[in-house]
Amino acid sequence: MSTPYPEIKRWVLPGAVKSATLDGVLPSGRRGNESGAFWLGVRASVARVTAVVLPQGKGVEESPCQWRVSPEVFGAISRWAKPRGLTLLGIAHTHAAGIPPELSWPDRHQSVRVPGILAVVIGNGGRDDDHHDWGWYVYEDDDYRQLRQRELMRRVH
């Protein structure tokens, strides 16, 4: 059976992706709220993230225990990305200080559930700037699976 989702064996995230993500989420994190970013690029065996989208404004909720993006915002991002040949490769979001960078139940069950998509949790409201300290997960077999350090080093560049 064919799938509309080509397998991703590796993700390439240039340093600018990390910088743009942290710069975008830190202001909300400093206020004690969760925030996040969408990582877009071309889906392929080696998927390179080429765009970081930082949703803000109407339809985006940032609170101490939740970052939520409405379906309308998802739609606007999709309408922007499609003509550029981009697709969603990952979602990064923060957890507040003291909350481990692990996927919560809503992160696992009320977020995007597409094979091969990355879900990344940045701790301390975005202050954890070492990506090895982040929680890295990939959606496979109807659930998110954590990428341990060895696999992370092999599959994420």
Side-chain angles (χ1 to χ4, degrees):
M1 184 163 119
S2 67
T3 174
Y5 306 108
E7 180 183 6
I8 299 174
K9 293 184 180 186
R10 288 186 340 190
W11 297 268
V12 177
L13 287 88
V17 168
K18 178 181 169 183
S19 297
T21 300
L22 291 175
D23 289 347
V25 300
L26 266 171
S28 188
R30 287 188 183 116
R31 293 189 299 275
N33 294 325
E34 288 191 9
S35 187
F38 293 96
W39 293 343
L40 290 84
V42 175
R43 187 175 177 121
S45 177
V46 177
R48 182 180 187 85
V49 175
T50 57
V52 176
V53 177
L54 299 155
Q56 298 177 2
K58 185 178 178 185
V60 178
E61 296 177 31
E62 297 179 333
S63 70
C65 296
Q66 176 173 263
W67 175 63
R68 198 168 116 178
V69 179
S70 73
E72 293 79 12
V73 173
F74 269 104
I77 293 168
S78 296
R79 286 188 299 278
W80 174 85
K82 186 171 173 95
R84 291 163 176 80
L86 302 176
T87 189
L88 185 63
L89 299 174
I91 300 173
H93 78 281
T94 60
H95 279 181
I99 300 175
E102 299 169 355
L103 288 182
S104 64
W105 189 92
D107 295 338
R108 284 183 179 277
H109 300 282
Q110 297 175 337
S111 186
V112 176
R113 296 169 58 90
V114 170
I117 196 163
L118 286 174
V120 179
V121 184
I122 306 166
N124 291 312
R127 289 180 190 87
D128 286 350
D129 62 357
D130 184 345
H131 69 277
H132 293 102
D133 295 334
W134 301 355
W136 292 83
Y137 298 81
V138 61
Y139 190 79
E140 296 175 338
D141 300 322
D142 206 31
D143 197 7
Y144 280 97
R145 178 180 65 79
Q146 186 170 14
L147 298 175
R148 302 292 181 190
Q149 286 299 318
R150 179 180 225 146
E151 183 181 11
L152 177 65
M153 292 174 61
R154 184 172 39 82
R155 295 188 68 192
V156 179
H157 302 273

